[in-house]
Amino acid sequence: MHNFKEKLLNEAKSWGADLIGIADTNRLANMETRPASLLNGFPRAISIAVQLADGIMDGITDVPTELYSQHYQRVNALLDNIACRVSSFIQNNGGRALPIPASQILCEERFTSYISHKAVAINAGLGWQGKSLLLVTPKYGPRVRLTTILTDLDITADSPIKNRCGKCTYCTDACPAKAIKNVNTTLHYSSRNEAVDLDSCVAHLNRVSGSGHIARYICGVCVSTCPWGRPKKQRAITN
């Protein structure tokens, strides 16, 4: 199975994945999914990340741009394509696979979907949960989009990594909605409202997105401002 994992990682990267990790779904047992039985029969969850383009992210100041909106959607489409290819690879090697759409809100009151891609990625060791609730990766910061593929193959699981936000307040200071509470966590928050005023965040999203050429529910300011996502020469991280 070790050789299979190496082949899987290499194939996924050849199809466009920038990061890939494996989560033991026992770590996700108490997480809300839709349906509630989604994880049944799937001991592993494969997390895949594709990085967002720096040229686009650097153009975001206090509102999303049209370029960001289009790029956001194109990267989601790429992730869905990669997930389909990975699923086929798994099935051709005797396993079962269940690809989850990269971006689909099923409940607009609570902003939930089939599964939390961020929670899977955190438990797959791709990064940690930042103060903005986003996944923050060591290489790309939060400048990534995510997808998940469930499988019944017993692939060696990866482990979560240490939270490195420290005393940094970049996302807190930059948030136009003043929604980020500057609260740190070791692995994940007990609830989203522990870290973020979700009502203020959503109210801001409704003001700046969903019209013209800007898709609904995107902002990108906390993604853009995080020093972990900037080129190393631009970073100023306070731990």
Side-chain angles (χ1 to χ4, degrees):
M1 194 55 66
H2 175 75
N3 290 337
F4 175 81
K5 181 178 180 180
E6 184 176 354
K7 290 179 182 178
L8 174 65
L9 268 60
N10 289 335
E11 292 287 355
K13 289 182 178 179
S14 75
W15 295 324
D18 290 303
L19 300 173
I20 179 169
I22 313 296
D24 183 336
T25 58
N26 284 326
R27 290 182 170 273
L28 309 172
N30 296 321
M31 184 175 67
E32 180 181 353
T33 61
R34 183 168 172 175
S37 60
L38 182 68
L39 297 177
N40 290 358
F42 295 108
R44 295 291 182 266
I46 302 167
S47 179
I48 291 175
V50 168
Q51 66 170 310
L52 296 166
D54 288 334
I56 288 176
M57 301 313 301
D58 291 342
I60 297 173
T61 53
D62 58 345
V63 293
T65 66
E66 293 177 346
L67 282 171
Y68 175 54
S69 179
Q70 291 298 313
H71 185 55
Y72 183 97
Q73 295 173 75
R74 298 298 176 269
V75 172
N76 286 337
L78 172 59
L79 282 161
D80 287 337
N81 181 276
I82 296 169
C84 287
R85 287 173 174 260
V86 168
S87 296
S88 293
F89 181 78
I90 288 170
Q91 290 172 177
N92 288 336
N93 282 273
R96 291 176 62 236
L98 195 164
I100 310 294
S103 182
Q104 185 175 3
I105 297 172
L106 298 179
C107 176
E108 294 192 0
E109 292 182 0
R110 299 175 53 243
F111 283 83
T112 56
S113 187
Y114 303 99
I115 197 170
S116 169
H117 294 305
K118 289 181 288 187
V120 175
I122 290 164
N123 285 284
L126 296 193
W128 61 91
Q129 188 166 34
K131 295 176 182 180
S132 61
L133 294 179
L134 297 174
L135 173 79
V136 182
T137 69
K139 188 171 184 179
Y140 306 116
R143 296 184 178 196
V144 295
R145 297 293 298 158
L146 301 164
T147 194
T148 301
I149 304 102
L150 305 178
T151 182
D152 64 349
L153 294 181
D154 188 20
I155 309 170
T156 304
D158 298 299
S159 299
I161 64 176
K162 182 180 179 181
N163 186 304
R164 305 180 194 175
C165 284
K167 298 177 181 179
C168 178
T169 63
Y170 272 74
C171 64
T172 302
D173 297 338
C175 179
K178 303 301 179 187
I180 301 173
K181 300 178 180 180
N182 195 34
V183 175
N184 222 335
T185 185
T186 301
L187 183 61
H188 60 81
Y189 298 95
S190 58
S191 71
R192 290 182 293 187
N193 282 325
E194 181 184 351
V196 170
D197 181 341
L198 194 60
D199 290 339
S200 295
C201 177
V202 172
H204 176 72
L205 293 177
N206 285 328
R207 285 193 297 270
V208 302
S209 66
S211 62
H213 297 287
I214 307 293
R216 294 187 70 191
Y217 303 132
I218 66 168
C219 173
V221 174
C222 57
V223 181
S224 174
T225 194
C226 178
W228 281 99
R230 297 176 182 173
K232 290 184 178 180
K233 62 182 180 182
Q234 298 179 16
R235 293 185 184 180
I237 301 170
T238 304
N239 291 313

